[in-house]
Amino acid sequence: MKKITIVGTGYVGLVTGAGLSDFGNEVTCVDISKTKINDLKNGIIPIYEPGLDELILKNTNSGRLKFSTNIEHSIQNCEVVFIAVGTPEKENGEADLSSVRSVAKTIAKNITNYVVVCTKSTVPVGTGAMIVNYINQNKKNDIQFDYVSNPEFLREGSAVRDFLWPDRIVIGARTTDAYSVMEDIYKPLYRNKKPIILTNIETAEMIKYSANAFLALKISYINEVANLCEKVGADVHQVAIGMGQDGRISSKFLHPGPGFGGSCFPKDTKAFSILSEKHGISMKTIDAAIDINEVQKVRMFDKLNKLLKFNLNNKTISILGLSFKPNTDDVRESPAIYMIKMIIENNGFVNAFDPVANDAMKVQFPKINYFDSWKDCCKNADVVVIMTEWNEFRGIDLKVLKKVLKNPCILDTRNIFSINKLNEYGFIFDNVGRNNIK
Ligand code: UGA
């Protein structure tokens, strides 16, 4: 078991820190934000992630997980340092590596023993080589280090589960020492015979982007199929089931909707495309997936417009679901953002409710009306739009919903309601790839 420092206490850093301490390692999560670290020391978790509070509490109580702002000290006293800082999108679509570079500099200045420097953040292919050069140029003494690329495949909302029971672990390195340090860290998973891919740094970096871009492509594909289903009278869910039975395709990530959002797919697809351009390769499939995703958001607004007979003026539109997917309060690149923006531009009124993401959306849209329950949010509204498939919304009693609305009108961008039930209760509705407006 190893002494580990994790730099960055965002969702990747925290889940990794909690998970690795749960495997028996001695972990210190460090961050430059004093408030964040103080909160964490007091048991306040900055993100909503099911199961994370319990995992952090369990491991802080056992003394295996600690939090600190003293980055230098933590680096000087560990065997492995993980870089888990943000790589946000720059204006030109590239990944912004300034935080990664700054951590690399701190590492270079503070290496006192042989250490393995491992990147968890999603970084463009070639970043590992850049970090190695950077540390070599800036380090103050002759102490050796190894570099590892160990990308994460965590989904927000089920990140703890994904960490503890992963499909695979990818370790990109150049030396057997580095492989064996990483094998030691992930020992419980090795014992469980989880597939471990030992490869070089560039391949590991490439696996991360190729996987995310492929999943995004799958979603854009099914969204296009859904659009055609609407025209030809087919049901996209049955199409997806029929396709998914083929093991080569699999039914996962074939749910149509308002387009993918979040902090990963939109950013990673763009960064992947830019990377390929830089190398003189065009990734037409990925560029298409990005374009289709933008068009899908517009299509959803067009559907709303049609339901309201192209007049949103003074209409009240209830938006149920603000996060980019259920079980998270993350609203980054959420398709709800475009929808709200367009409603406001067209002089409609927005009522909004999300089980956990109201506060996060208030930062972007402070002036729309937020509610604490779906029922209050839908009172006297002209139409309700489902933007996120929270279980709470799946359980909505359509009879009750019809009573509270001014008009029985629904745009279900996540296809959570049964068409038969919607027809039975006399709703006017639209969805994605299942039926045209009745
Ligand atoms: C994604 C990947 O799934 C993770 O494996 C990866 O580690 C992570 O990015 C990352 O790079 O950090 P995440 O962004 O948390 O995870 O969320 P997903 O569950 O992948 O969903 C992304 C978006 O696609 C959501 O807006 C979701 O609603 C949408 N989606 C997903 C669909 O519209 N249809 C689907 O069938 C699946």
Side-chain angles (χ1 to χ4, degrees), residues 209-221:
Y209 275 100
S210 312
N212 269 9
F214 183 75
L215 291 170
L217 181 61
K218 233 180 148 181
I219 298 166
S220 280
Y221 178 74

PDB file of all heavy atoms in Angstrom, residues 209-221:
ATOM      1  N   TYR A 209      -9.724   9.685 -24.584  1.00  0.00           N
ATOM      2  CA  TYR A 209     -10.455  10.511 -25.557  1.00  0.00           C
ATOM      3  C   TYR A 209     -11.267   9.653 -26.520  1.00  0.00           C
ATOM      4  O   TYR A 209     -12.397  10.000 -26.868  1.00  0.00           O
ATOM      5  CB  TYR A 209      -9.482  11.398 -26.354  1.00  0.00           C
ATOM      6  CG  TYR A 209      -9.165  12.680 -25.632  1.00  0.00           C
ATOM      7  CD1 TYR A 209      -7.997  12.836 -24.920  1.00  0.00           C
ATOM      8  CD2 TYR A 209     -10.066  13.752 -25.667  1.00  0.00           C
ATOM      9  CE1 TYR A 209      -7.716  14.019 -24.250  1.00  0.00           C
ATOM     10  CE2 TYR A 209      -9.792  14.934 -25.005  1.00  0.00           C
ATOM     11  CZ  TYR A 209      -8.613  15.062 -24.297  1.00  0.00           C
ATOM     12  OH  TYR A 209      -8.350  16.230 -23.636  1.00  0.00           O
ATOM     13  N   SER A 210     -10.681   8.551 -26.952  1.00  0.00           N
ATOM     14  CA  SER A 210     -11.394   7.709 -27.923  1.00  0.00           C
ATOM     15  C   SER A 210     -12.659   7.145 -27.303  1.00  0.00           C
ATOM     16  O   SER A 210     -13.697   7.049 -27.966  1.00  0.00           O
ATOM     17  CB  SER A 210     -10.515   6.548 -28.388  1.00  0.00           C
ATOM     18  OG  SER A 210      -9.260   7.022 -28.750  1.00  0.00           O
ATOM     19  N   ALA A 211     -12.603   6.783 -26.019  1.00  0.00           N
ATOM     20  CA  ALA A 211     -13.775   6.207 -25.349  1.00  0.00           C
ATOM     21  C   ALA A 211     -14.867   7.263 -25.206  1.00  0.00           C
ATOM     22  O   ALA A 211     -16.025   7.034 -25.584  1.00  0.00           O
ATOM     23  CB  ALA A 211     -13.381   5.652 -23.979  1.00  0.00           C
ATOM     24  N   ASN A 212     -14.517   8.442 -24.689  1.00  0.00           N
ATOM     25  CA  ASN A 212     -15.535   9.481 -24.501  1.00  0.00           C
ATOM     26  C   ASN A 212     -16.129   9.924 -25.836  1.00  0.00           C
ATOM     27  O   ASN A 212     -17.337  10.108 -25.956  1.00  0.00           O
ATOM     28  CB  ASN A 212     -14.936  10.689 -23.771  1.00  0.00           C
ATOM     29  CG  ASN A 212     -15.100  10.562 -22.266  1.00  0.00           C
ATOM     30  OD1 ASN A 212     -15.496   9.516 -21.774  1.00  0.00           O
ATOM     31  ND2 ASN A 212     -14.799  11.613 -21.540  1.00  0.00           N
ATOM     32  N   ALA A 213     -15.275  10.093 -26.833  1.00  0.00           N
ATOM     33  CA  ALA A 213     -15.763  10.558 -28.129  1.00  0.00           C
ATOM     34  C   ALA A 213     -16.680   9.502 -28.756  1.00  0.00           C
ATOM     35  O   ALA A 213     -17.698   9.822 -29.376  1.00  0.00           O
ATOM     36  CB  ALA A 213     -14.599  10.870 -29.055  1.00  0.00           C
ATOM     37  N   PHE A 214     -16.349   8.234 -28.552  1.00  0.00           N
ATOM     38  CA  PHE A 214     -17.192   7.166 -29.127  1.00  0.00           C
ATOM     39  C   PHE A 214     -18.567   7.148 -28.462  1.00  0.00           C
ATOM     40  O   PHE A 214     -19.593   6.992 -29.125  1.00  0.00           O
ATOM     41  CB  PHE A 214     -16.508   5.802 -28.980  1.00  0.00           C
ATOM     42  CG  PHE A 214     -17.306   4.700 -29.613  1.00  0.00           C
ATOM     43  CD1 PHE A 214     -17.338   4.570 -30.992  1.00  0.00           C
ATOM     44  CD2 PHE A 214     -18.058   3.821 -28.849  1.00  0.00           C
ATOM     45  CE1 PHE A 214     -18.102   3.568 -31.600  1.00  0.00           C
ATOM     46  CE2 PHE A 214     -18.824   2.826 -29.434  1.00  0.00           C
ATOM     47  CZ  PHE A 214     -18.839   2.701 -30.816  1.00  0.00           C
ATOM     48  N   LEU A 215     -18.589   7.322 -27.131  1.00  0.00           N
ATOM     49  CA  LEU A 215     -19.872   7.344 -26.423  1.00  0.00           C
ATOM     50  C   LEU A 215     -20.712   8.532 -26.881  1.00  0.00           C
ATOM     51  O   LEU A 215     -21.930   8.416 -27.084  1.00  0.00           O
ATOM     52  CB  LEU A 215     -19.645   7.396 -24.903  1.00  0.00           C
ATOM     53  CG  LEU A 215     -19.045   6.121 -24.296  1.00  0.00           C
ATOM     54  CD1 LEU A 215     -18.622   6.356 -22.850  1.00  0.00           C
ATOM     55  CD2 LEU A 215     -20.033   4.960 -24.381  1.00  0.00           C
ATOM     56  N   ALA A 216     -20.054   9.682 -27.060  1.00  0.00           N
ATOM     57  CA  ALA A 216     -20.771  10.871 -27.538  1.00  0.00           C
ATOM     58  C   ALA A 216     -21.327  10.610 -28.943  1.00  0.00           C
ATOM     59  O   ALA A 216     -22.466  10.972 -29.261  1.00  0.00           O
ATOM     60  CB  ALA A 216     -19.823  12.067 -27.552  1.00  0.00           C
ATOM     61  N   LEU A 217     -20.519   9.936 -29.737  1.00  0.00           N
ATOM     62  CA  LEU A 217     -20.926   9.603 -31.107  1.00  0.00           C
ATOM     63  C   LEU A 217     -22.153   8.684 -31.099  1.00  0.00           C
ATOM     64  O   LEU A 217     -23.086   8.861 -31.880  1.00  0.00           O
ATOM     65  CB  LEU A 217     -19.742   8.899 -31.778  1.00  0.00           C
ATOM     66  CG  LEU A 217     -19.842   8.446 -33.217  1.00  0.00           C
ATOM     67  CD1 LEU A 217     -20.077   9.647 -34.116  1.00  0.00           C
ATOM     68  CD2 LEU A 217     -18.546   7.761 -33.637  1.00  0.00           C
ATOM     69  N   LYS A 218     -22.151   7.752 -30.161  1.00  0.00           N
ATOM     70  CA  LYS A 218     -23.279   6.811 -30.046  1.00  0.00           C
ATOM     71  C   LYS A 218     -24.571   7.582 -29.731  1.00  0.00           C
ATOM     72  O   LYS A 218     -25.630   7.313 -30.292  1.00  0.00           O
ATOM     73  CB  LYS A 218     -22.984   5.824 -28.905  1.00  0.00           C
ATOM     74  CG  LYS A 218     -23.096   4.369 -29.306  1.00  0.00           C
ATOM     75  CD  LYS A 218     -22.814   3.421 -28.177  1.00  0.00           C
ATOM     76  CE  LYS A 218     -23.659   2.173 -28.361  1.00  0.00           C
ATOM     77  NZ  LYS A 218     -23.497   1.187 -27.308  1.00  0.00           N
ATOM     78  N   ILE A 219     -24.451   8.562 -28.840  1.00  0.00           N
ATOM     79  CA  ILE A 219     -25.633   9.347 -28.463  1.00  0.00           C
ATOM     80  C   ILE A 219     -26.119  10.177 -29.657  1.00  0.00           C
ATOM     81  O   ILE A 219     -27.314  10.214 -29.953  1.00  0.00           O
ATOM     82  CB  ILE A 219     -25.323  10.272 -27.256  1.00  0.00           C
ATOM     83  CG1 ILE A 219     -24.936   9.434 -26.032  1.00  0.00           C
ATOM     84  CG2 ILE A 219     -26.520  11.156 -26.920  1.00  0.00           C
ATOM     85  CD1 ILE A 219     -24.305  10.219 -24.901  1.00  0.00           C
ATOM     86  N   SER A 220     -25.182  10.831 -30.338  1.00  0.00           N
ATOM     87  CA  SER A 220     -25.598  11.633 -31.499  1.00  0.00           C
ATOM     88  C   SER A 220     -26.210  10.744 -32.571  1.00  0.00           C
ATOM     89  O   SER A 220     -27.161  11.126 -33.247  1.00  0.00           O
ATOM     90  CB  SER A 220     -24.416  12.411 -32.078  1.00  0.00           C
ATOM     91  OG  SER A 220     -24.194  13.563 -31.304  1.00  0.00           O
ATOM     92  N   TYR A 221     -25.684   9.554 -32.707  1.00  0.00           N
ATOM     93  CA  TYR A 221     -26.220   8.620 -33.705  1.00  0.00           C
ATOM     94  C   TYR A 221     -27.675   8.279 -33.393  1.00  0.00           C
ATOM     95  O   TYR A 221     -28.550   8.393 -34.245  1.00  0.00           O
ATOM     96  CB  TYR A 221     -25.359   7.350 -33.749  1.00  0.00           C
ATOM     97  CG  TYR A 221     -25.893   6.328 -34.724  1.00  0.00           C
ATOM     98  CD1 TYR A 221     -25.742   6.528 -36.091  1.00  0.00           C
ATOM     99  CD2 TYR A 221     -26.581   5.197 -34.286  1.00  0.00           C
ATOM    100  CE1 TYR A 221     -26.265   5.612 -37.002  1.00  0.00           C
ATOM    101  CE2 TYR A 221     -27.105   4.281 -35.180  1.00  0.00           C
ATOM    102  CZ  TYR A 221     -26.944   4.497 -36.540  1.00  0.00           C
ATOM    103  OH  TYR A 221     -27.463   3.608 -37.435  1.00  0.00           O
TER     104      TYR A 221
END
